[in-house]
C-alpha cells in the first residue's frame, strides 16, 4: 500500500512538472538549428523531434484581447511557436528568432543527435548564458557578451565570445578541430586524462594554467627561422606565469633540452604567453585563446 | 463629313480600275524557288581555297604561340611560387620543391591522359584514367566549404602543418582572413600567414588585411602582430582605428600601446 502511494505521488509530481512547461515540437532530425536569440540551453537526446520548452510563468499576465492572435515584430517574425519565438524551416536550416528582443525568456531545447547547432548573438544588451550539452555534431557559437558553458560535447566546434567566458568539459571521444577564443573572458577547459590532443594555447595579457596530471609534452622549439632569402630571423622567447608547470613536465619528458628547448612565450611579445604541446602523443586539434584573461586546462575527474 | 479626297476617288473610279492584275505564273514561281538554294551554294563554294589556307596558317601560328607562352608561364610558376618554411638544418626541405614540381607535372599528365581518353572513348572499352585532385585542390575545396566552418578550420590547420606553401595558397588564406564568415577560421588563417611574416609579399597581405578588416578579433591580432614588426607602415590605419567610435575598446588599447611605444601619439 505504501509503495502504491509513493508511486502515485511520483506520477502526480511528474505530471505536475510537465504541465508547468510550455512546449513546441518540430519533427526534424537533421539539418542545422540557427539560434539568433539572447540565451539558451540545448541538450542532445536520442529522438526525432526538436523540443522547444519554456517554464510556465504563473505571474505572467494574459492579454484577453490577444486571444486567437499572434504577436508580430518589425522584422516580420511572428510567434508561430506559442513561446514568443519565430521558428521557421528553410530547407536544411531551422531558424529561431525572437519576436520581442527585449523580453526574451530563456529557451530550453532538446535536440536530436544529428542536428547541428549555430548560435549567434551580437546584442550588447540582451545576453544570457549559452549552455550546450551532450551534442554529437558540429557546434558554432559567435557572440558578443554571452558566457558559454559546454558539457560533454563531442565536437567539432568553433566558439567565439568577445566579453564572455567559456567553461567546457569534454569527453574522451572527441572530433576536432576545437577552437575556443575570447577577448576579455577566461577559457576554462577540463579534459579526461586519456584524451589525445594537440594544444595551441595563447593568452596575450593573461596567464596559462595547466594540470600536471595531463602530462602535456611541450613541442620542441623550431630552429632559427629564415626568410625566403635564407636570412635568419631573430627569435626572442619570453615565458612567465605557467613556466613552473610546463617546464616541470618538460624536464620529465625531454632528455635533451639543449636541442629540444620548449616553445614558450611569443616571438617579440612583451607579455604574451603561449603553449604548444601534445597530450598522449597528439590527436584532436585544440586552439584556445584569450587576449586579456587566463586560460585553465584541467583534468576532468 | 465632307472629304474631298473621297469625293475625288468616287468621281474618278473608272480611271483607277482600268488596270488588271497579271496572271499568276505558278510554274515560274516554283522554278524561282528551286533556284534559290543553288545560288546560296554557289556563294559558299565561291570562296577561294587560298583564303582557307591563309586562315588555317594564322590559326596554327596562334595555337603554337599560345602553347609556347603557357609552357613558359608554367615553368616560371613552378620556380617562383614556392615559399620555403625556413629551417636550413633539415636537408629534406631542399628536396620538397622538387616533389612539388613533379606533382604538378603529374597533374598535367593526368589531365592530358584524361582528355585523350575522352576523344578515343568511342573506340575503347572502359579504360578511363580517373582524375585525382591534388592535395592543394582538395584543401581549396575544403577551404571554400560554406556549409561547415569546422571543415574550413580543419583545412587551414592542415595547411599550417605542411612545411611548404605556395604564394597562391597564401593569397587564398589572405582572402579567408578578409571574407570568411567565422572568426575562428579567420584567426587560424592569420596564424598561418604569421609563420611566413618575414616574406615581403606576406607582409603586404597582412597590412592589406588590417586596412580592410572589420572583425574586432582579427583587428586585435593584426594590430598586435604588425605592431611588433619593423618597417611596416600602418600608422594611418592605427589612427583611423582609434578615431572610429565603433572600434572595440580592447583594439583601441592595443593601438594606443603601439603608438605610445613609438612616441606617435
Amino acid at each position: 500500500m505504501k509503495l502504491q502511494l509513493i508511486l502515485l505521488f511520483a506520477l502526480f509530481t511528474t505530471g505536475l512538472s510537465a504541465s508547468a512547461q510550455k512546449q513546441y515540437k518540430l519533427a526534424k532530425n537533421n539539418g542545422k538549428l540557427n539560434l539568433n536569440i539572447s540565451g539558451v540551453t540545448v541538450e542532445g537526446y536520442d529522438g526525432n523531434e526538436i523540443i522547444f520548452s519554456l517554464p510556465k510563468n504563473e505571474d505572467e499576465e494574459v492579454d484577453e484581447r490577444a486571444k486567437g492572435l499572434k504577436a508580430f515584430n518589425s522584422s516580420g517574425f511572428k510567434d508561430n511557436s506559442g513561446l514568443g519565438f519565430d521558428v521557421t524551416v528553410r530547407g536544411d536550416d531551422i531558424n529561431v528568432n525572437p519576436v520581442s528582443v527585449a523580453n526574451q525568456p530563456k529557451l530550453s531545447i532538446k535536440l536530436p543527435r544529428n542536428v547541428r547547432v549555430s548560435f549567434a548573438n551580437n546584442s550588447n544588451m540582451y545576453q544570457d548564458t549559452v549552455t550546450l550539452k551532450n551534442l554529437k555534431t558540429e557546434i558554432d557559437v559567435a557572440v558578443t557578451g554571452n558566457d558559454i558553458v559546454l558539457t560533454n560535447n563531442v565536437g567539432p566546434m568553433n566558439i567565439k565570445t568577445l566579453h564572455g567566458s567559456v567553461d567546457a568539459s569534454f569527453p574522451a571521444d572527441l572530433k576536432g578541430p576545437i577552437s575556443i577564443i575570447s577577448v576579455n573572458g577566461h577559457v576554462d577547459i577540463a579534459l579526461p586524462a586519456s584524451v589525445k590532443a594537440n594544444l595551441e594555447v595563447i593568452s596575450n595579457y593573461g596567464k596559462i594554467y595547466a594540470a600536471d596530471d595531463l602530462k602535456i609534452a611541450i613541442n620542441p622549439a623550431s630552429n632559427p627561422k629564415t626568410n625566403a632569402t635564407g636570412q635568419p630571423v631573430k627569435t626572442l622567447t619570453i615565458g612567465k606565469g605557467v613556466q613552473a608547470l610546463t617546464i616541470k613536465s618538460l624536464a620529465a619528458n625531454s632528455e635533451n633540452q639543449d636541442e629540444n628547448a620548449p616553445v614558450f612565450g611569443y616571438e617579440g611579445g612583451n607579455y604574451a604567453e603561449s603553449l604548444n604541446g601534445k597530450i598522449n602523443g597528439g590527436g584532436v586539434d585544440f586552439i584556445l585563446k584569450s587576449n586579456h584573461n587566463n586560460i585553465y586546462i584541467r583534468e576532468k575527474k | 463629313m465632307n472629304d474631298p479626297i473621297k469625293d475625288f476617288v468616287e468621281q474618278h473610279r473608272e480611271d483607277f480600275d482600268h488596270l488588271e492584275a497579271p496572271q499568276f505564273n505558278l510554274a515560274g514561281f516554283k522554278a524561282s524557288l528551286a533556284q534559290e538554294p543553288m545560288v546560296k551554294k554557289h556563294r559558299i563554294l565561291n570562296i577561294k581555297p587560298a583564303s582557307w589556307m591563309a586562315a588555317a596558317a594564322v590559326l596554327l601560328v596562334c595555337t603554337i604561340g599560345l602553347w609556347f607562352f603557357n609552357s613558359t608561364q608554367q615553368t616560371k610558376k613552378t620556380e617562383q611560387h614556392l615559399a620555403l618554411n625556413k629551417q636550413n638544418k633539415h636537408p629534406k626541405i631542399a628536396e620538397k620543391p622538387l616533389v612539388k614540381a613533379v606533382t604538378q607535372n603529374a597533374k598535367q599528365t593526368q589531365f592530358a591522359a584524361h582528355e585523350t581518353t575522352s576523344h578515343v572513348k568511342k573506340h575503347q572499352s572502359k579504360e578511363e584514367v580517373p582524375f585525382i585532385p591534388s592535395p592543394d585542390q582538395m584543401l581549396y575545396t575544403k577551404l571554400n566549404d560554406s556549409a561547415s566552418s569546422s571543415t574550413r578550420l580543419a583545412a587551414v590547420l592542415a595547411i599550417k602543418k605542411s612545411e611548404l606553401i605556395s604564394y597562391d595558397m597564401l593569397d587564398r588564406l589572405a582572402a579567408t582572413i578578409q571574407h570568411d564568415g567565422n572568426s575562428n577560421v579567420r584567426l587560424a588563417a592569420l596564424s598561418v600567414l604569421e609563420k611566413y611574416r618575414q616574406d615581403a609579399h606576406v607582409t603586404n597581405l597582412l597590412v592589406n588585411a588590417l586596412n580592410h578588416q572589420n572583425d574586432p578579433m582579427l583587428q586585435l591580432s593584426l594590430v598586435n602582430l604588425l605592431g611588433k614588426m619593423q618597417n611596416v607602415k600602418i600608422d594611418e590605419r592605427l589612427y583611423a582605428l582609434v578615431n572610429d567610435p565603433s572600434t572595440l575598446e580592447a583594439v583601441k588599447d592595443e593601438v594606443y600601446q603601439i603608438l605610445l611605444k613609438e612616441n606617435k601619439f
Side-chain angles (χ1 to χ4, degrees), chain A residues 6 14 19 30 35 43 47 49 64 97 130 147 153-154 156-157 162-163 181 186 189 195 200 204 229 263 269:
Chain A
I6 291 169
T14 315
S19 70
N30 55 19
L35 300 164
E43 187 176 1
E49 286 178 324
E64 293 295 329
N97 291 285
V130 178
D147 289 333
N153 300 303
V154 173
M157 60 186 84
L162 289 183
H163 306 297
I181 53 179
H186 68 254
I189 68 162
V195 77
E200 183 185 324
N204 286 25
T229 55
V263 175

Side-chain angles (χ1 to χ4, degrees), chain A residues 37-42 52-55 83 85 103-109 119 127-132 146-147 149:
Chain A
I37 54 183
S38 62
V40 75
T41 298
V42 182
F52 302 84
S53 56
L54 280 180
L83 306 175
F85 293 91
N103 302 312
Q104 290 184 55
K106 191 174 173 185
L107 203 57
S108 295
I109 302 173
F119 185 95
Q127 302 151 352
D128 207 338
T129 309
V130 178
T131 307
L132 307 173
N146 303 63
D147 289 333
V149 179

Side-chain angles (χ1 to χ4, degrees), chain A residues 175-186:
Chain A
K175 283 182 204 161
I178 291 168
S179 170
I180 300 173
I181 53 179
S182 173
V183 173
N184 291 321
H186 68 254

Side-chain angles (χ1 to χ4, degrees), chain A residues 118-131:
Chain A
S118 171
F119 185 95
N121 180 23
N122 294 323
S123 169
N124 286 316
M125 290 177 69
Y126 306 108
Q127 302 151 352
D128 207 338
T129 309
V130 178
T131 307

